Each structure stands twice: as C-alpha cells, then as structure tokens.
Amino acid sequence: EIASCLVGSEMCIRDRDGFHRMLTDQQLSDCAAELLAARTAVRTLRPVSHRYPGVTLDEAYEIDARVHRLRLAQGAVALGRKIGLTNTSAWRKLGVEAPVWSSIYGHSVIHWTDTRGRLSLAPFLAPRIEPEVVVHFREAPDVSQGEEGVLAAIDWIASGYEIVQSNYDSKDTVVADTVANSVFHGCLVVGPQVAVSALSDGLAEDLKHFSLLLSRDGVAVEKGEGRQVLGSPLQSILALARVLAAQSRPPIAAGEIVTTGTITTAYPVEAGQTWHSQIDGLDLTGLSIEFTA
C-alpha cells in the first residue's frame, strides 16, 4: 500500500514500510528530456510534482543537472549561474532554508552596450521580469573571507534583467518543480559593464543600501533595495557558494557570470510594454527594455 503525507510544503510518498520511493534513474532522465523538449518547443507540460508526488529537492537538482548535460551535448556553453528564492520571507512557506540555483548559457545571456534595447517574448511562456545585479568573476572567489573575498574576485558589475518563465501548465507547484525547470531561467539581459575599480571604495556597503525603482510604461511599480537580496548581492553569492559546497557541485570559477537575485517582485510582462529601472546609491545606470512579440 502507498500512503501520502505532507512534509513542509511538499508531498511525499511512503510505502507501507515508511520509506519515500525515490525516482528511478530512467524517470530522472525522462523528466530532464521532457523539460528540455518543452522549453525548446515553447510548450507546457505537467509539473514534475504532479507526475511524481514527493519528488525531493535533491531529485530536482539531479533532473536539472541532466538538463544541463543535455544542453552541453547539444553545443550550449555554460557561462555561470543564476540565484533564485533570495527573499527569505518566503522560505518557511516554501519549506526551504537556502536559495536555489541553476546554470546560465551563452544562448540565454544577452549583453547590451547601451542602456536601452528590445527583447522578443516569442521564446518564453508566462514571462516575468526581475531586475538584478550581475557580476563577473575575474578569479575564483575566496568565500572563506566573506564579502571581502567575493568582492576581491569580481572584475565588473552591471545592472540586468532576468526574464523568468514557467513551462508548467499549473501554478500548483513546489520548489522542486522550480529547480527541475532550471529555476525558471529564460534569459538574462546584462547592461553595460562597469569595472569594480571604477566604483567607490564603499561598494560593499553600497550594494546593501542602494535602491531600485522599477517602472512600467512610465508608471512606478515597485521600489526595492539591495538588502532585500539576502542582505546584499554579495551575501547572495556567499549563500550560493554554501549551497554548491553542500551539494558537492563545482564552486564559482574564474570567468563565471552570476546574477544575484531579483530586487523587486517578479512581474508579468507583455509585448508592447516598456520597463525601466532607476538605480540610486550605486554607480550603475538602470536599463530600459521594450518587449516585442
């Protein structure tokens, strides 16, 4: 007999001996292939947790790792990582104790040399916009030195937008669904790069206290602050480093881009809209993005 029970925010399945029935190797591979195919075809599919109630966060990370390997086999180039769930106020409800992460790629990162640009929404399902601080590592950070060790390894910083999307046909999902679907990464728009050496000596403090005003079609939507990203984008990177170490995954390396988490709520976007970010207290220029069909 099979019984179901709630653990945190997730459903688990236990057999009559009380043990969770883990996904098989074939099921993990099937999930990865189906998720990647759905993203490529821009179509929906059932959440993993609907097909396999009780799917764990570890299993979800393994699914995403298999998606990653499939992408690399198809010629994708990994550029770095994205960090998600950086708002700690939601952790208890979601049943997590740390942010989540996934990889970003050459085909999903767009570099702008100007502060204005356009982006087609055709490749995305249910897209949302997240204004973020993006960093590039000149060398692997010495995370044992805290924020100082992270900042010393960064050569440039930029304002950016991550466009997140969900391929699921239901909003009734758990964190494992998010992770399995590459933490909903769609694409990352990176604004003009600013050398850390050109910024103020108080950059670590600036990253905690700067504010960002997000507007849609000239109307203010929300104002956020750097401290809302786990206390600071630098703290977000340290949290990522701890998660990677706990998972025995490769640490942040030289040449990686890391997008550190949204500074505001993630808002749905539509073709025809223009969104703008205005940054105060940090020597970065906000970005204006026009969405097209």
Side-chain angles (χ1 to χ4, degrees):
E1 295 181 357
I2 303 298
S4 63
C5 63
L6 284 175
V7 177
S9 63
E10 298 187 0
M11 180 77 75
C12 70
I13 291 182
R14 297 183 184 277
D15 61 20
R16 61 187 176 187
D17 297 318
F19 295 103
H20 168 61
R21 297 174 61 187
M22 305 298 289
L23 271 65
T24 67
D25 183 75
Q26 187 61 53
Q27 288 170 332
L28 292 167
S29 292
D30 288 346
C31 285
E34 290 161 9
L35 280 163
L36 182 55
R39 279 183 167 254
T40 302
V42 195
R43 60 175 174 80
T44 60
L45 76 171
R46 291 175 65 199
V48 177
S49 65
H50 290 204
R51 297 173 55 194
Y52 303 107
V55 59
T56 67
L57 199 55
D58 285 343
E59 289 171 325
Y61 271 114
E62 177 57 28
I63 292 169
D64 190 43
R66 296 184 186 211
V67 171
H68 178 67
R69 292 195 290 271
L70 289 171
R71 288 189 185 278
L72 297 182
Q74 293 174 358
V77 177
L79 293 188
R81 336 274 176 119
K82 69 150 290 180
I83 309 174
L85 296 186
T86 51
N87 185 339
T88 58
S89 65
W91 284 5
R92 177 172 294 185
K93 177 182 177 181
L94 296 172
V96 299
E97 298 179 348
V100 294
W101 70 277
S102 187
S103 296
I104 58 177
Y105 304 89
H107 67 268
S108 69
V109 177
I110 303 167
H111 289 276
W112 285 1
T113 56
D114 197 358
T115 59
R116 293 178 175 271
R118 293 182 174 182
L119 182 70
S120 170
L121 294 177
F124 311 115
L125 291 171
R128 291 176 176 262
I129 189 169
E130 297 183 345
E132 309 201 6
V133 169
V134 183
V135 303
H136 179 267
F137 285 92
R138 177 188 62 256
E139 59 190 44
D142 181 357
V143 295
S144 69
Q145 299 300 310
E147 290 186 3
E148 182 178 339
V150 172
L151 194 54
I154 296 171
D155 54 357
W156 60 257
I157 187 171
S159 56
Y161 288 124
E162 186 181 16
I163 306 304
V164 293
Q165 65 156 9
S166 172
N167 288 86
Y168 296 134
D169 60 9
S170 171
K171 295 181 180 180
D172 180 20
T173 60
V174 297
V175 175
D177 290 309
T178 303
V179 169
N181 202 1
S182 302
V183 194
F184 294 156
H185 175 65
C187 79
L188 175 66
V189 174
V190 183
Q193 301 167 9
V194 179
V196 167
S197 59
L199 297 172
S200 74
D201 293 337
L203 180 56
E205 288 299 309
D206 292 344
L207 285 168
K208 296 176 184 177
H209 301 297
F210 80 92
S211 64
L212 182 147
L213 179 64
L214 183 65
S215 301
R216 179 186 60 237
D217 296 330
V219 178
V221 174
E222 184 180 342
K223 187 174 185 178
E225 298 180 355
R227 62 182 176 84
Q228 292 171 227
V229 184
L230 292 178
S232 161
L234 297 179
Q235 286 294 325
S236 183
I237 293 167
L238 288 170
L240 169 63
R242 290 191 292 270
V243 171
L244 294 174
Q247 295 176 345
S248 299
R249 298 294 178 91
I252 301 167
E256 284 202 47
I257 294 172
V258 175
T259 185
T260 56
T262 185
I263 299 162
T264 69
T265 304
Y267 287 95
V269 296
E270 298 177 359
Q273 295 177 340
T274 297
W275 291 73
H276 178 75
S277 58
Q278 176 183 322
I279 299 174
D280 292 310
L282 186 62
D283 293 329
L284 291 181
T285 304
L287 303 178
S288 182
I289 184 168
E290 178 185 349
F291 291 109
T292 63

